[in-house]
Amino acid sequence: MAIQVSGITKRFNDFTALDSVELEVKSGELLALLGPSGSGKTTLLRIMAGLESPDGGGLLLNGEEALGLKPRDRQVGFVFQHYALFRHMTVFENVAFGLKVRPRGQRPGASEIKRRVTELLELVQLSPFAGRYPVQLSGGQRQRVALARALAIEPKVLLLDEPFGALDAKVRKELRRWLRKLHDDIHITSVFVTHDQEEALELADRVVVMNQGRIEQIGTPAEVYDHPASAFVYEFLGQVNRFDCTVEGGIARVGDGALAIPTQGGVQGPAVAYVRPHDLGVTPASAGPARISGIHVVGPDARIDIDLAGLTLEAEMDRERLATLGIAAGDRCAIHIDRARVFAR
Amino acid sequence: MPADTSVTAPASIAVPPAQSALTEPAWVRILLIGGALLFLALFLLLPLVAVFAEALRRGLGAYWAALTEPDAVAAIELTLIVAAISVPANLLFGVAASWCVAKFDFRGKNLLITLIDLPFSVSPVISGLIYVLLFGMNGLFGTYLRDMGVQIIFAVPGLVLATIFVTFPFVARELIPLMQEQGSDEEEAALVLGASGWQTFWRVTIPNIKWGLLYGVLLCNARAMGEFGAVSVVSGHIRGETNTMPLHVEILYNEYNFVAAFAVASLLAMLALVTLVVKTALEWRFGDELAASRH
């Protein structure tokens, strides 16, 4: 089922959480709403579910006007950030809840409910835990119960609010892969909210980058990473070096001419240039303009702090390359920039 | 042999008594625990024992006679009636008040919370007087009520009103922090899963607060049956008609009828004990679930 968001606006007192947001979620895709806290992503998700009502705009679920519908009539599955499992019910009862509360006519029989719940618990690999209470489960297990519970009502859309936010790094990675695989298997239109760019880029078919209640960019993970539409997107997606510069005749000059970067596009005058750490090349040069102020090895990669006429820059390379260069903290070096994006200031 | 002493002295220091950072020496522990126990025995246990000892001083026959005497029976019945009306009323009010405080944001919420606490901060005598001023013969609605032929003060309705007022905070005070801590995530989850508001309330909200609710009701009931001050003002002390158990105890005591006074008092004391036992039993029996509901 497709979701069409048109001109949705939401204010909380003086704070504008969403400012005329336009968005189309295609049927069957896995879409990420990515942004810092306060960007309005969770509010947008809650409006889709009917847990929040907008001050203006329209929402179509599968072509039908949905703003007038109560949450229970929207056929959406919602996975809450802190799972919101019913603490007094077992895992089985949690998953069965959505089926048991159906009106008498539509309610499946007890054996049918049992069959469906068992099937779902198998899907989320929690069959042995059917009789446990939520407190007796780990974070990752609770998250999967929440997912099974949301899927039990056979929703047309699955909405997930920071689904991996409360998990530790390793579990988060596993669960992320597992969710991607699950989505590939059942192809349910899904929207998830996250503030973790790595999660959005790895998991989603398309990423919506949000900031201050507006959408900054919509695109595939590769598009938003390689061609950020705005300075905000550039800064938000991954580590970045930021220079205040002046562009004259296609050359961005940083500081007192310490660095000159060739640019494309028609930006002139005061601007901001962005360079990703892995696009910043370092070569040892005894009379070079820059100095290496520190080297941090993180797993297979090395992060190099560089001091260039008072500017602190960061470069990134793998450890083998670091070894071939043979540089150490305190050495002087030259830097060259392969790729930079310049936005007018 | 100076060389020997220099070796043995550090060795004796190197083996300190097994003691963790948070453990106090034995004499401190004994003093603290002993002091606490002595205090409890002196101020709680001894009076309780005294009540039963005094009540049974003339034997079981006199004890039984004091409890089955018509005025005593009337007092017990009246107390049960008052509790039977005011406890359910406060159960409803308490759940409704905590529901709206915990799950909604509105203007004047803090004022409401303060108002809920009012009966705790006002002297019970004042609480009683308020009702006399409102509904008494010379009160605000006095003439109107007399014309309608309704008597509130010096009658059962007055007792019930005063009791409801005094015991109002028990359920709400117990539930508000619990419901605030639990938030409304589970209710939202239930609604998205297709439950109606009513189903959400009965299947999600109530089960989550049932222990707090039960505890609040127990306390509310204990106070409703034991309330003296407010009830004393509105009662009029008509024997066999408007005397609750605490008032009956006072009358008997003032008449130097100590055995009868303590016999009725012992019923109230037993109520307190039963309340404690039930609460402890529930906590023991359902400890896991209780912990789960507060996780």
Side-chain angles (χ1 to χ4, degrees), chain A residues 273-292:
Chain A
Y274 291 100
V275 180
R276 298 250 183 247
H278 53 80
D279 289 332
L280 191 77
V282 182
T283 41
S286 52
R291 200 178 66 84
I292 293 169

Side-chain angles (χ1 to χ4, degrees), chain A residues 2-335:
Chain A
I3 307 171
Q4 180 103 39
V5 173
S6 46
I8 291 263
T9 298
K10 174 74 181 175
R11 270 181 292 273
F12 295 108
N13 298 325
D14 297 337
F15 176 71
T16 304
L18 291 173
D19 190 0
S20 358
V21 168
E22 304 278 340
L23 173 64
E24 195 182 336
V25 185
K26 293 175 196 154
S27 195
E29 81 173 331
L30 180 54
L31 184 100
L33 296 177
L34 173 67
S37 51
S39 59
K41 54 195 194 306
T42 294
T43 307
L44 182 57
L45 196 77
R46 288 172 63 85
I47 286 174
M48 290 178 185
L51 292 170
E52 213 79 68
S53 48
D55 298 322
L59 175 71
L60 300 182
L61 291 178
N62 213 14
E64 282 175 53
E65 180 52 49
L67 282 183
L69 295 179
K70 290 195 167 134
R72 57 185 303 207
D73 299 321
R74 292 194 188 189
Q75 290 184 292
V76 298
F78 200 100
V79 176
F80 291 80
Q81 185 177 2
H82 299 291
Y83 324 125
L85 295 179
F86 305 125
R87 62 193 90 192
H88 63 281
M89 297 182 200
T90 61
V91 167
F92 184 95
E93 289 165 340
N94 261 284
V95 178
F97 184 87
L99 299 172
K100 284 187 180 165
V101 295
R102 283 195 183 163
R104 204 167 293 267
Q106 303 160 30
R107 196 186 309 156
S111 59
E112 169 67 7
I113 289 179
K114 190 165 163 41
R115 192 188 62 77
R116 291 263 290 279
V117 174
T118 312
E119 209 175 274
L120 279 162
L121 287 179
E122 262 164 43
L123 181 73
V124 298
Q125 299 156 4
L126 282 174
S127 307
F129 299 94
R132 299 254 188 119
Y133 284 92
V135 272
Q136 299 167 314
L137 301 178
S138 71
Q141 290 169 334
R142 288 185 208 177
Q143 185 59 285
R144 283 181 280 151
V145 176
L147 200 62
R149 183 178 70 175
L151 291 173
I153 58 169
E154 294 177 320
K156 301 280 169 54
V157 185
L158 189 59
L159 305 173
L160 307 106
D161 185 9
E162 299 268 5
F164 313 111
L167 302 170
D168 61 62
K170 190 164 174 290
V171 179
R172 193 184 310 188
K173 210 153 210 167
E174 282 170 16
L175 211 52
R176 209 191 276 168
R177 298 241 165 85
W178 178 83
L179 182 68
R180 179 69 237 187
K181 195 179 157 294
L182 183 77
H183 183 265
D184 292 343
D185 290 345
I186 61 178
H187 276 296
I188 180 172
T189 309
S190 307
V191 180
F192 74 98
V193 157
T194 180
H195 61 263
D196 180 344
Q197 29 92 14
E198 195 189 317
E199 195 168 290
L201 296 180
E202 181 184 325
L203 196 53
D205 294 322
R206 287 198 305 154
V207 177
V208 176
V209 186
M210 296 187 67
N211 182 34
Q212 295 183 338
R214 292 166 191 271
I215 291 178
E216 295 271 341
Q217 188 174 6
I218 306 176
T220 64
E223 275 166 16
V224 293
Y225 190 79
D226 295 336
H227 307 286
S230 66
F232 172 82
V233 178
Y234 216 117
E235 280 198 53
F236 194 70
L237 291 181
Q239 285 296 320
V240 73
N241 291 301
R242 181 183 193 275
F243 310 97
D244 287 332
C245 60
T246 314
V247 182
E248 279 163 27
I251 305 288
R253 291 183 194 285
V254 181
D256 306 325
L259 195 62
I261 311 164
T263 68
Q264 290 109 39
V267 179
Q268 281 294 341
V272 189
Y274 291 100
V275 180
R276 298 250 183 247
H278 53 80
D279 289 332
L280 191 77
V282 182
T283 41
S286 52
R291 200 178 66 84
I292 293 169
S293 54
I295 297 178
H296 312 277
V297 175
V298 184
D301 296 319
R303 230 179 58 218
I304 299 152
D305 292 337
I306 299 160
D307 180 54
L308 173 72
L311 279 171
T312 306
L313 305 180
E314 193 183 307
E316 210 178 87
M317 62 183 68
D318 58 41
R319 279 166 78 175
E320 276 177 38
R321 172 121 183 84
L322 181 72
T324 27
L325 284 177
I327 48 175
D331 289 357
R332 298 210 67 86
C333 64
I335 60 175

Side-chain angles (χ1 to χ4, degrees), chain B residues 16-36:
Chain B
Q19 197 178 27
S20 82
L22 289 176
T23 315
E24 301 296 337
W27 67 271
V28 175
R29 273 180 286 160
I30 291 168
L31 202 68
L32 280 175
I33 297 171

